[in-house]
Amino acid sequence: MVNESVYNELMKKYRAHYGRDPEVIAYAPGRIEVLGNHTDYNEGFVFSAAINYGTFFAASKSASKACRLVAGDLMKEVAFDVTGIEASKTDTWQNYVKGTLAGLAGVKAVPCGFDGLFLGNIPLGSGLSSSAALEMCTGLALGKLYGITVDDVTLAKIGQKAEHMYAGCKCGLLDQISSLAGQAGRLVKTDFRTVAYETVEMGEAACFLMCNTHAKHALVDGAYNTRREACEQAAAHFAKELRHPVTALRDVSMAEWAIYKRGLSDTVANRAAHPIGEDERVLKGAELLAKGDLPGFGLLMFDSHESSRVLFENSCEELDAVVDAAKKIPGVLGARLSGGGFGGSVVVLVHPRDAETASIALANAYAAKFGKPCDVSVIKPAAGAHIVK
Ligand code: ADP
Ligand code: MG
């Protein structure tokens, strides 16, 4: 079992706190974004992976409408009623659980409360999506407890709605889908037009380093919105210029971009080239993985970062420094910023035998430039969310 020690700790804490064994237990992992940056809202493609860090949620039915919920890492308890699920301003971790419960209750009436406890080992707020993991293990555990069956995409949307309505984060669906669909040694390839996904073999010769710079640049929301607007403006332009239907940048190829970009400002044209190029890189990446060509896949990751840096301008000094350092480290196959950009993390593709030395080299190179090291975690594509008991 992945994360067996966390599971054992969860059981110990559940028994100590509630004086019995839980009726159900579910597990959900965090995720990394591997290739396909800012493609989701352009209805394009993303490569992601579920990771070998995750969260367990254990629960039993309670005798009334009352719910007790314990954050096992903090050993803090909150209480609320299933008949009045509202977001809370304190102990905000409960909002991910409440939002997910509210989503399930929207599918079928919840008959009673629960005694719940969750515990995990995903670093919080570091771009590995501990929040989606919490929603997905909650959804699976409480769905099982109450006999509410939903398919994966519905559960992912319940988690997304919990983020929007209860946690105040306007996220897409990538985090939840990746947590649900991941498999050991495989990447998840999602088509964000149809929300259809498949997994693709990555093999034993690959793992990732997630390098969190903790950099957070001002105006992140503003910059995100202007990027989105530029993509929409470009899509409207190509819809007029091209003969085939264009409802999003997904429908435009790089070749078409080069011919029909005239009439767009240089900035808007460059912004559009990023998700268009990313879509092509994801599709190319799938072909390379099918042939077992990891070095080729790594080069696409470097290209992706270059496109972020030059065309989309969602990189920053800290992220560029990690990618530049990665290029010089033996055994590193690829590196790019992961997630929205303007700070945050870099994902690095490396052979598992080089992971340890590359981690140290990256942290040192970062410290030499910025005075303190970036945090590096070794990540393996691992099993997706599932019921444990
Ligand atoms: P990320 O999803 O990248 O880790 P977020 O800010 O979206 O960052 O979510 C982090 C929040 O999720 C935490 O601040 C906390 O409220 C909640 N959370 C997730 N997992 C746990 C956990 N195991 N224990 C307590 N809180 C958790
Ligand atoms: Mg999150």
Side-chain angles (χ1 to χ4, degrees):
M1 181 200 288
V2 193
N3 297 309
E4 194 162 355
S5 60
V6 182
Y7 173 81
N8 292 336
E9 182 80 11
L10 171 99
M11 290 303 280
K12 218 165 81 187
K13 288 193 166 173
Y14 195 95
R15 286 179 187 133
H17 197 80
Y18 292 115
R20 58 169 163 159
D21 276 355
E23 285 170 49
V24 297
I25 302 166
Y27 169 80
R31 65 95 191 92
I32 51 171
E33 178 205 288
V34 176
L35 196 60
N37 184 249
H38 285 262
T39 50
D40 53 353
Y41 56 84
N42 291 302
E43 300 186 12
F45 302 96
V46 182
F47 262 128
S48 62
I51 64 173
N52 53 317
Y53 294 88
T55 309
F56 290 91
F57 191 102
S60 303
K61 285 183 187 143
S62 74
S64 66
K65 299 278 179 193
C67 301
R68 291 188 287 169
L69 176 67
V70 177
D73 307 274
L74 317 166
M75 278 320 276
K76 280 194 94 173
E77 180 173 331
V78 294
F80 53 93
D81 212 283
V82 275
T83 50
I85 312 163
E86 276 168 26
S88 172
K89 289 201 172 66
T90 54
D91 297 312
T92 50
W93 44 267
Q94 65 186 294
N95 291 330
Y96 301 95
V97 174
K98 284 176 159 176
T100 306
L101 175 63
L104 288 174
V107 175
K108 191 176 145 192
V110 169
C112 62
F114 66 82
D115 289 338
L117 187 148
F118 62 91
L119 190 74
N121 61 357
I122 308 170
L124 308 185
S126 71
L128 296 173
S129 212
S130 67
S131 61
L134 179 52
E135 292 141 24
M136 294 303 95
C137 66
T138 300
L140 285 183
L142 295 183
K144 176 95 181 154
L145 189 71
Y146 295 133
I148 304 173
T149 330
V150 290
D151 61 64
D152 277 2
V153 173
T154 305
L155 183 55
K157 286 183 177 166
I158 285 175
Q160 182 190 29
K161 202 168 166 195
E163 298 259 2
H164 288 200
M165 310 288 287
Y166 283 76
C169 173
K170 294 270 173 228
C171 67
L173 267 179
L174 176 72
D175 303 351
Q176 292 80 6
I177 293 281
S178 311
S179 178
L180 291 173
Q183 285 176 25
R186 298 177 78 87
L187 297 184
V188 180
K189 178 168 158 267
T190 307
D191 176 339
F192 277 91
R193 169 156 284 167
T194 56
V195 201
Y197 52 82
E198 58 181 326
T199 64
V200 177
E201 178 75 35
M202 173 132 246
E204 293 301 310
C207 72
F208 295 98
L209 306 178
M210 194 68 171
C211 309
N212 188 359
T213 66
H214 297 284
K216 216 180 213 157
H217 289 282
L219 301 173
V220 168
D221 290 343
Y224 180 84
N225 290 340
T226 58
R227 296 303 183 282
R228 254 188 112 130
E229 280 156 25
C231 290
E232 280 163 21
Q233 194 189 327
H237 166 85
F238 289 115
K240 272 192 262 148
E241 297 292 320
L242 292 174
R243 275 199 211 112
H244 63 76
V246 174
T247 54
L249 287 178
R250 144 75 171 273
D251 300 309
V252 182
S253 69
M254 269 327 278
E256 289 166 338
W257 173 88
I259 298 168
Y260 295 101
K261 68 177 173 170
R262 225 174 55 184
L264 289 174
S265 72
D266 286 349
T267 304
V268 171
N270 284 345
R271 300 295 187 250
H274 180 60
I276 296 171
E278 286 291 277
D279 277 344
E280 295 195 354
R281 278 184 282 277
V282 172
L283 298 178
K284 177 85 192 152
E287 282 171 25
L288 294 175
L289 288 180
K291 288 189 272 183
D293 184 355
L294 286 173
F297 189 88
L299 290 178
L300 293 174
M301 292 174 71
F302 284 130
D303 290 347
S304 167
H305 188 78
E306 200 54 16
S307 173
S308 272
R309 192 178 72 78
V310 177
L311 299 174
F312 212 62
E313 296 185 274
N314 64 329
S315 188
C316 62
E317 199 192 354
E318 292 87 349
L319 297 172
D320 292 344
V322 177
V323 173
D324 286 345
K327 282 183 177 159
K328 295 178 200 125
I329 295 170
V332 167
L333 300 174
R336 61 184 279 278
L337 70 82
S338 178
F342 312 106
S345 296
V346 169
V347 60
V348 178
L349 177 65
V350 65
H351 193 286
R353 86 176 156 243
D354 301 315
E356 196 78 13
T357 47
S359 299
I360 296 165
L362 278 170
N364 287 344
Y366 193 86
K369 187 152 189 196
F370 297 102
K372 58 176 171 38
C374 54
D375 286 337
V376 187
S377 321
V378 180
I379 304 287
K380 291 194 186 87
H386 54 273
I387 300 282
V388 179
K389 177 187 163 177

